[in-house]
Amino acid sequence: MVKAIWNESVIAESDDTVVVEGNHYFPLGSVRAASLRPSATTSRCPWKGTANYHSIEIDGKTNQDAAWYYADPLPAASNIKGRIAFWKGVTVR
């Protein structure tokens, strides 16, 4: 079971992650949605497409843009559609 942990709280856990470039992409259904806040931030990857971000909020603390996903990934990254990954101090183990 792989877990994403921030601020001593489990944000996501699943035994069905997809690893791309060293990042575990969790199924959206395995994520504690109440801890995510939409962000206007986007970025572009030449082979995955446009990434959208969420901030994580737990116990009154915010980790800005610490989660990302590809709502409509390019064909080469179709295996991460419907999945979300974490960074910026989120421990994934």
Side-chain angles (χ1 to χ4, degrees):
M1 184 71 65
V2 180
K3 296 181 181 184
I5 302 166
W6 184 72
N7 201 23
E8 300 182 23
S9 294
V10 175
I11 305 161
E13 61 183 314
S14 177
D15 58 3
D16 177 30
T17 64
V18 173
V19 180
V20 176
E21 297 178 328
N23 296 301
H24 284 267
Y25 284 79
F26 291 79
L28 290 176
S30 72
V31 178
R32 201 173 114 198
S35 64
L36 299 179
R37 302 290 177 265
S39 170
T41 302
T42 62
S43 63
R44 178 96 178 134
C45 171
W47 72 273
K48 290 185 295 246
T50 299
N52 299 93
Y53 290 79
H54 284 290
S55 296
I56 300 169
E57 188 175 295
I58 296 174
D59 296 333
K61 296 181 181 174
T62 301
N63 190 344
Q64 190 68 35
D65 298 335
W68 77 93
Y69 66 97
Y70 292 85
D72 189 22
L74 296 173
S78 62
N79 61 332
I80 58 172
K81 185 171 180 78
R83 295 178 176 271
I84 190 165
F86 303 94
W87 68 326
K88 296 180 108 180
V90 176
T91 301
V92 177
R93 59 173 188 230

